[in-house]
Amino acid sequence: MNETTNLPPLPNRLSTDPRSPHHVAAIFEHAIGIRLNDKERSDVEEYCISEGWVTVPAGKTLDRKGHPLMIKLKGKVEAFYK
């Protein structure tokens, strides 16, 4: 499979929000996964491997601009292509 050689390297920090400076659109053309403390999570909005945290939505709560309210979870973070 030479498709894996064409995958861009996963950055240390990545965000799904297009307004963020850490958003890289080329990464999201492929399916990626995030593991926090050896458990795969599908609700991660942003992660930082070196600092060991991910942000996830806090239920259905919205901030005053209509965006989901985020909480930061800390632990061992791993990013991978599915």
Side-chain angles (χ1 to χ4, degrees), residues 29-71:
E29 293 176 0
H30 311 284
I32 63 169
I34 305 295
R35 276 193 209 99
L36 178 66
N37 296 330
D38 298 323
K39 293 182 183 174
E40 190 169 343
R41 298 202 52 131
S42 60
D43 60 347
V44 174
E45 294 285 327
E46 186 173 4
Y47 73 82
C48 183
I49 295 173
S50 64
E51 295 178 14
W53 56 262
V54 298
T55 58
V56 296
K60 295 183 179 181
T61 309
L62 301 176
D63 65 6
R64 61 185 175 184
K65 295 182 181 177
H67 304 294
L69 192 63
M70 307 303 278
I71 57 173

